[in-house]
């Protein structure tokens, strides 16, 4: 009874050796066939380095070898499935871990899903009973993996500080983005660091410029007409001094707000922006309803 499975195992080993012997000439032929094509590709694309060509050639060869081995393995398993099943049913093989791996080849997934004991425990509540079964191996292996992953994550990010945390990644991305910002003053993506002007002459100049150029749309007191109300804490394009400056300079053409660059100097646009900042909270009569997002007012006392 024991001789047949052992003989089957010996035959399986001989088949593997024979397959390896047959595969060697095939791989040599494949290499001879692919080599001229690789040489032609190298000549056609001189810009590619020889190392790059060799890397892809070796990678393709490796993929082909693995594919051939996989197909041979599947064919051998299908051909020898009866012998493998008899070998798997041996008591000395069936209960071992390697035997369970062999069971996957013959259609028994006990290694992955486990085996139900079908033994009832002494728990009975309202006619509901409980089986004494272990957790499925796939669940336990997944749980073990999460433990290993958590330890590796903690060591990588919080012990050795090899990886960047979210704050560090954000700073790195912002630095990279800053490199893409043009140094040209006409670039709408350029970041400015202006603070609101608080000197009397600057605010007076801003008041005059506002009355001349902005009051027609925003009202003489910033209460809003065609344009939005500038005296509340709600803003469509940002209420910070630099955001207001950007809106004045580049405009919002889709909403009828013209760009004032080229018509006003940088100093004048900052004076108007500072005057608009000073209007917040003045609550003029007949103010237009709020529009946009609410922002907390920023109090600044630094002059430009």
């Amino acid at each position: 009874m024991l001789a047949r499975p052992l003989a089957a195992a010996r035959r399986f080993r001989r088949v593997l050796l024979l397959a390896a012997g047959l595969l060697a000439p095939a791989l040599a032929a494949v290499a001879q066939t692919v080599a001229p094509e690789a040489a032609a590709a190298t000549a056609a694309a001189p810009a590619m380095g020889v190392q790059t060509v060799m890397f892809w050639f070796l990678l393709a060869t490796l993929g082909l070898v693995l594919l051939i081995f996989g197909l041979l393995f599947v064919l051998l398993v299908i051909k020898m499935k009866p012998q493998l099943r008899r070998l798997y049913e041996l008591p000395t093989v069936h209960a071992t871990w390697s035997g369970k791996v062999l069971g996957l080849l013959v259609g028994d997934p006990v290694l992955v899903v486990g085996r139900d004991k079908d033994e009832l425990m002494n728990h009975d509540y309202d006619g509901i009973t409980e089986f004494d079964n272990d957790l499925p191996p796939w669940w336990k292996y997944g749980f073990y993996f999460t433990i290993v992953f958590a330890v590796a994550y903690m060591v990588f990010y919080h012990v050795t500080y090899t990886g960047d945390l979210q704050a560090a990644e954000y700073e790195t991305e912002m630095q990279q983005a800053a490199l893409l910002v043009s140094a040209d003053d006409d670039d709408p993506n350029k970041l400015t660091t202006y603070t609101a002007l608080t000197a009397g002459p600057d605010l007076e100049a801003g008041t005059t410029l506002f009355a001349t150029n902005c009051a027609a749309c925003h009202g003489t007191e910033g209460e809003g007409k065609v344009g939005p109300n500038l005296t509340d804490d709600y803003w469509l394009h940002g209420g910070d001094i630099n955001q207001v400056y950007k809106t004045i300079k580049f405009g919002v053409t889709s909403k009828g707000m013209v760009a004032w660059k080229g018509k006003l100097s940088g100093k004048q646009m900052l004076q108007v922006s500072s005057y608009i900042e000073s209007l917040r909270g003045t609550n003029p009569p007949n103010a237009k309803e709020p529009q946009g997002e609410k922002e907390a007012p920023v109090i600044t006392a630094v002059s430009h």
Side-chain angles (χ1 to χ4, degrees), residues 157-174:
Y157 286 101
H158 298 283
V159 178
T160 63
Y161 298 101
T162 304
D164 291 335
L165 296 177
Q166 291 181 345
E169 288 182 352
Y170 172 78
E171 293 296 333
T172 301
E173 291 177 358
M174 292 300 295

Side-chain angles (χ1 to χ4, degrees), residues 27-43:
L27 292 178
V30 170
Q32 292 176 359
T33 303
V34 177
E37 297 178 359
T42 305

Side-chain angles (χ1 to χ4, degrees), residues 199-257:
D202 289 320
L203 291 179
E204 291 176 2
T207 303
T208 302
L209 291 168
F210 182 88
T212 303
N213 303 296
C214 310
C217 292
H218 295 282
T220 56
E221 298 180 358
E223 69 275 11
K225 291 183 177 180
V226 178
N229 181 4
L230 301 178
T231 64
D232 56 24
D233 293 328
Y234 291 83
W235 297 85
L236 292 170
H237 307 287
D240 176 75
I241 181 67
N242 293 283
Q243 294 169 319
V244 174
Y245 180 90
K246 177 181 176 180
T247 303
I248 294 173
K249 182 175 182 180
F250 298 104
V252 185
T253 55
S254 62
K255 297 181 179 179
M257 172 69 182

Side-chain angles (χ1 to χ4, degrees), residues 2-17:
L2 197 54
R4 289 184 180 180
L6 295 177
R10 287 195 293 269
R11 286 198 300 271
F12 180 69
R13 185 180 62 182
R14 287 198 297 269
V15 171
L16 287 179
L17 294 175

Side-chain angles (χ1 to χ4, degrees), residues 73-143:
F73 181 75
V74 172
L75 292 175
L76 287 173
V77 169
I78 295 175
K79 185 70 175 177
M80 301 188 64
K81 190 172 182 179
Q83 292 86 347
L84 293 175
R85 177 167 288 279
R86 286 197 294 268
L87 179 63
Y88 173 64
E89 291 174 353
L90 292 175
T92 56
V93 176
H94 188 79
T96 62
W97 190 87
S98 58
K100 294 178 181 179
V101 174
L102 182 61
L104 292 176
L105 301 178
V106 298
D108 187 358
V110 65
L111 180 65
V112 178
V113 300
R115 194 184 304 279
D116 295 335
K117 298 179 182 179
D118 293 334
E119 297 178 0
L120 289 175
M121 301 181 67
N122 295 327
H123 297 169
D124 189 345
Y125 181 79
D126 197 17
I128 301 174
T129 57
E130 181 181 357
F131 282 106
D132 185 16
N133 290 326
D134 294 331
L135 290 170
W138 65 265
W139 191 96
K140 290 191 291 187
Y141 298 151
F143 180 66

